[in-house]
Amino acid sequence: MSENNFWSNVETGMNNYLTKYLSLFKESYQKPEVYKDEKVDAFLKGLEGKEGFEQVFNYVRVEIKPLFDQIRTSYLADKKPEEIEQNKINTLIEVSKLFNAIIPLPRFLNDFMVSAKESSPVDLNKLFVNMMKLEVNELTKIYDEEIKGMDPVIDNCVADLNKSEDALEIWNFINQFGLFLQRDMALTEYNQSEEDKKFDEQLKNIDKIEQDFKDGKIQLPEFNKDRLVEEVNKYHSFVTEMTAETRQEVADKAINYRNKVLPLVQIVQCLHDLLINILTATNIINADKQ
């Protein structure tokens, strides 16, 4: 593939990504539970008539941060967050989602152009790993300060996340991290008999996966049963040995941490989505293998 064709396909991927998030924003903004703000209306009005990636991107890139800052300032003026009307909170959430979705684009464009001068073709994996590491490093910094050592399973996941040099794998580790956090957040509703039942079901499920793997019914890069059983045992021991007070403390810390890092996770998610759109547009992967 020539460099011109490759860049054209990369631009197509970026355009598909941008179109997707703008469509999601417009759709969410029309929901009845979202406050209709004249500033947002003006932003959408300004989009009309913009054609092609360059025009749309340049408009959104310039306008989205001022829009986010203005409505956040106006909604929070002389009010605590819990005092804001829910429909205005919903508007702020939707604008922040679009803002987070736009953040990766100028960063990618800048890094892509720098990389293109250094080597051809551009190593997309290396490019996206470097971009994702910005959020991963900040996420880890907060983790180290607030909840490191709280849950050994999460400790292992964060260690794997920081060692990874594969962009798609980083997103998989972020997903695992999120699931482990949700598990700790749910400790407020802990029930010993339910935990024991879940523990037995997990071990049986590992046995089934092992058998399916041996029979060729499922394809996996590797299957390390000992490690899976070890992780399940480790968490089971972790929660059953806690007092009710400790479980509440762990849940509270997990909730507070998750709320702090959610914007970082959203940016990594958007980076992953942008990468998938570019890989699909350049035919490096098929759309059905995302």
Side-chain angles (χ1 to χ4, degrees):
M1 182 186 297
S2 71
E3 288 187 23
N4 286 340
N5 284 341
F6 182 69
W7 169 249
S8 177
N9 290 335
V10 167
E11 189 175 52
T12 297
M14 289 191 294
N15 189 54
N16 291 342
Y17 168 88
L18 180 57
T19 300
K20 170 188 172 180
Y21 279 94
L22 283 172
S23 297
L24 287 172
F25 175 72
K26 292 174 184 176
E27 182 180 332
S28 297
Y29 183 63
Q30 294 306 316
K31 292 179 180 178
E33 62 268 25
V34 176
Y35 175 70
K36 305 303 179 285
D37 191 300
E38 60 182 16
K39 300 180 189 68
V40 179
D41 294 337
F43 169 78
L44 292 174
K45 183 71 175 176
L47 263 176
E48 296 176 7
K50 302 292 187 297
E51 296 181 357
F53 172 75
E54 188 172 347
Q55 281 190 18
V56 175
F57 168 65
N58 285 335
Y59 173 78
V60 176
R61 177 178 58 83
V62 170
E63 299 295 335
I64 187 61
K65 187 179 187 304
L67 173 65
F68 177 70
D69 289 342
Q70 287 167 16
I71 64 172
R72 181 175 59 178
T73 300
S74 64
Y75 294 173
L76 288 172
D78 302 321
K79 285 187 177 182
K80 297 177 182 177
E82 60 269 21
E83 295 174 338
I84 305 172
E85 298 93 324
Q86 185 59 50
N87 62 348
K88 288 189 175 181
I89 291 176
N90 294 339
T91 301
L92 187 57
I93 288 172
E94 295 307 325
V95 173
S96 71
K97 286 181 184 176
L98 181 60
F99 182 29
N100 286 338
I102 300 306
I103 288 173
L105 282 169
R107 191 191 299 179
F108 168 74
L109 279 168
N110 179 71
D111 291 359
F112 184 91
M113 294 306 177
V114 171
S115 297
K117 293 176 182 177
E118 296 173 351
S119 64
S120 181
V122 172
D123 186 337
L124 289 173
N125 176 67
K126 181 179 178 182
L127 199 64
F128 275 88
V129 166
N130 290 339
M131 288 192 290
M132 288 178 171
K133 289 285 187 179
L134 294 175
E135 276 66 42
V136 169
N137 289 344
E138 184 61 25
L139 178 152
T140 304
K141 179 175 177 289
I142 300 171
Y143 174 82
D144 288 343
E145 293 171 350
E146 303 202 359
I147 63 172
K148 185 176 182 180
M150 181 185 80
D151 182 336
V153 176
I154 294 183
D155 286 345
N156 290 341
C157 182
V158 172
D160 289 339
L161 170 62
N162 279 275
K163 286 186 290 189
S164 179
E165 294 296 331
D166 182 280
L168 299 180
E169 185 179 61
I170 286 174
W171 176 238
N172 286 335
F173 281 131
I174 289 285
N175 274 322
Q176 288 181 32
F177 190 15
L179 292 173
F180 294 147
L181 276 175
Q182 287 177 1
R183 188 167 62 176
D184 285 349
M185 289 161 60
L187 287 175
T188 52
E189 302 169 1
Y190 180 82
N191 179 287
Q192 185 62 55
S193 61
E194 289 183 7
E195 173 60 32
D196 291 338
K197 180 181 177 182
K198 185 166 59 177
F199 175 65
D200 290 337
E201 288 174 349
Q202 287 175 324
L203 293 178
K204 288 177 183 176
N205 190 45
I206 291 172
D207 287 338
K208 184 179 184 305
I209 293 172
E210 179 187 33
Q211 192 58 52
D212 288 346
F213 179 65
K214 289 179 177 178
D215 294 343
K217 293 180 181 178
I218 56 173
Q219 301 294 322
L220 298 169
E222 64 174 347
F223 179 76
N224 190 331
K225 180 180 179 180
D226 290 341
R227 180 176 179 182
L228 291 173
V229 170
E230 179 187 356
E231 294 291 344
V232 170
N233 275 311
K234 190 182 294 183
Y235 188 78
H236 183 66
S237 299
F238 169 65
V239 294
T240 54
E241 292 170 6
M242 286 184 194
T243 63
E245 291 78 12
T246 303
R247 280 194 286 270
Q248 183 65 52
E249 182 183 349
V250 167
D252 289 343
K253 284 185 176 180
I255 291 168
N256 289 335
Y257 175 78
R258 180 249 187 197
N259 290 341
K260 284 186 178 181
V261 302
L262 187 58
L264 298 171
V265 172
Q266 288 174 342
I267 293 173
V268 178
Q269 180 182 12
C270 290
L271 282 165
H272 169 263
D273 201 7
L274 176 60
L275 174 60
I276 292 297
N277 274 275
I278 290 172
L279 293 178
T280 303
T282 54
N283 293 317
I284 293 176
I285 64 169
N286 295 323
D288 60 355
K289 293 183 180 179
Q290 296 176 19

Coordinates of all heavy atoms in Angstrom, one line a residue, residues 6 10 108 112 115 121-131 167 274-275 278-280 282 284:
F6 N -2.3 4.8 2.3 CA -2.4 4.5 3.7 C -2.9 5.7 4.5 O -3.8 5.6 5.3 CB -1.0 4.2 4.2 CG -0.9 3.8 5.6 CD1 -1.5 2.6 6.1 CD2 -0.3 4.6 6.6 CE1 -1.4 2.3 7.4 CE2 -0.3 4.3 7.9 CZ -0.8 3.1 8.3
V10 N -6.2 6.0 6.7 CA -6.2 6.5 8.1 C -7.2 7.6 8.3 O -7.9 7.7 9.4 CB -4.7 7.0 8.5 CG1 -4.7 7.7 9.8 CG2 -3.8 5.8 8.6
F108 N -3.3 12.1 18.3 CA -2.9 11.1 17.3 C -2.3 11.8 16.0 O -1.3 11.3 15.5 CB -4.1 10.3 16.9 CG -3.8 9.4 15.7 CD1 -3.0 8.3 15.7 CD2 -4.4 9.8 14.4 CE1 -2.8 7.5 14.6 CE2 -4.1 9.0 13.3 CZ -3.3 7.9 13.4
F112 N 1.3 11.0 14.8 CA 1.4 10.3 13.5 C 2.4 11.0 12.6 O 3.2 10.4 11.9 CB 0.0 10.2 12.9 CG 0.0 9.4 11.6 CD1 -0.2 8.0 11.6 CD2 0.2 10.0 10.4 CE1 -0.2 7.3 10.5 CE2 0.2 9.3 9.2 CZ 0.0 7.9 9.2
S115 N 5.9 10.6 13.7 CA 6.4 9.2 13.4 C 6.6 9.0 11.9 O 7.5 8.3 11.6 CB 5.4 8.2 14.0 OG 5.3 8.3 15.4
P121 N 6.5 2.3 7.0 CA 5.2 2.8 7.5 C 5.2 3.1 9.0 O 6.1 2.6 9.7 CB 4.2 1.7 7.2 CG 5.0 0.5 7.3 CD 6.4 0.8 6.7
V122 N 4.2 3.9 9.4 CA 4.1 4.2 10.9 C 3.7 3.0 11.7 O 2.9 2.2 11.2 CB 3.1 5.4 11.1 CG1 2.9 5.6 12.6 CG2 3.6 6.6 10.4
D123 N 4.4 2.8 12.8 CA 4.0 1.7 13.7 C 2.8 2.1 14.5 O 3.0 2.8 15.6 CB 5.2 1.3 14.6 CG 5.0 0.1 15.4 OD1 3.8 -0.2 15.7 OD2 6.0 -0.5 15.9
L124 N 1.6 1.7 14.1 CA 0.4 2.2 14.8 C 0.3 1.6 16.2 O -0.1 2.4 17.1 CB -0.8 1.7 14.0 CG -1.1 2.5 12.7 CD1 -2.2 1.8 11.9 CD2 -1.4 3.9 12.9
N125 N 0.8 0.4 16.4 CA 0.7 -0.1 17.8 C 1.6 0.7 18.7 O 1.1 1.1 19.8 CB 1.2 -1.6 17.8 CG 1.2 -2.2 19.2 OD1 0.2 -2.3 19.9 ND2 2.4 -2.4 19.7
K126 N 2.8 1.0 18.3 CA 3.7 1.7 19.2 C 3.1 3.1 19.4 O 3.2 3.7 20.6 CB 5.1 1.8 18.5 CG 6.1 2.6 19.3 CD 7.5 2.7 18.6 CE 8.5 3.5 19.4 NZ 9.8 3.5 18.7
L127 N 2.6 3.7 18.4 CA 2.0 5.0 18.5 C 0.9 5.1 19.6 O 0.8 5.9 20.4 CB 1.4 5.4 17.1 CG 1.1 6.9 16.9 CD1 2.4 7.7 16.9 CD2 0.4 7.1 15.5
F128 N 0.0 4.1 19.5 CA -1.2 4.1 20.4 C -0.8 3.6 21.8 O -1.3 4.1 22.8 CB -2.3 3.2 19.8 CG -3.2 3.9 18.9 CD1 -2.9 4.0 17.5 CD2 -4.3 4.6 19.4 CE1 -3.7 4.7 16.7 CE2 -5.2 5.3 18.5 CZ -4.8 5.3 17.1
V129 N 0.2 2.8 21.9 CA 0.7 2.4 23.2 C 1.3 3.6 23.9 O 1.0 3.9 25.1 CB 1.8 1.3 23.1 CG1 2.6 1.2 24.5 CG2 1.2 0.0 22.8
N130 N 2.1 4.4 23.2 CA 2.6 5.6 23.8 C 1.5 6.6 24.3 O 1.6 7.3 25.3 CB 3.6 6.3 22.8 CG 4.9 5.5 22.6 OD1 5.2 4.7 23.5 ND2 5.5 5.8 21.5
M131 N 0.5 6.7 23.5 CA -0.6 7.6 23.8 C -1.4 7.1 25.0 O -1.7 7.8 26.0 CB -1.6 7.8 22.6 CG -1.0 8.7 21.5 SD -2.2 9.2 20.3 CE -2.6 7.6 19.5
A167 N -1.3 -2.3 22.3 CA -2.4 -1.4 22.5 C -3.7 -2.1 22.8 O -4.5 -1.7 23.7 CB -2.6 -0.4 21.3
L274 N -10.6 4.5 18.4 CA -9.9 5.2 17.3 C -9.0 4.2 16.6 O -9.0 4.1 15.3 CB -9.2 6.4 17.7 CG -8.4 7.2 16.7 CD1 -9.3 7.7 15.5 CD2 -7.6 8.3 17.3
L275 N -8.2 3.5 17.3 CA -7.3 2.5 16.7 C -8.1 1.4 15.9 O -7.7 1.1 14.8 CB -6.5 1.8 17.9 CG -5.6 0.6 17.4 CD1 -4.6 1.1 16.4 CD2 -4.9 0.0 18.6
I278 N -9.2 2.9 12.6 CA -8.1 3.0 11.7 C -7.6 1.7 11.2 O -7.4 1.5 10.0 CB -6.9 3.8 12.4 CG1 -7.3 5.3 12.6 CG2 -5.7 3.8 11.5 CD1 -6.4 6.1 13.5
L279 N -7.5 0.7 12.1 CA -7.0 -0.6 11.6 C -8.0 -1.2 10.6 O -7.7 -1.9 9.7 CB -6.9 -1.6 12.8 CG -5.7 -1.2 13.8 CD1 -5.8 -2.2 15.0 CD2 -4.4 -1.3 13.1
T280 N -9.3 -1.0 10.9 CA -10.4 -1.5 10.0 C -10.3 -0.8 8.6 O -10.4 -1.4 7.6 CB -11.8 -1.3 10.6 OG1 -11.8 -2.0 11.9 CG2 -12.8 -1.9 9.7
T282 N -7.8 0.6 7.2 CA -6.5 0.3 6.5 C -6.4 -1.2 6.2 O -5.4 -1.6 5.7 CB -5.3 0.7 7.3 OG1 -5.4 0.1 8.6 CG2 -5.2 2.2 7.5
I284 N -6.0 -3.6 8.1 CA -5.1 -4.3 8.9 C -5.8 -5.4 9.7 O -5.3 -6.5 9.9 CB -4.3 -3.4 9.8 CG1 -3.4 -2.5 9.0 CG2 -3.4 -4.2 10.8 CD1 -2.6 -1.4 9.7

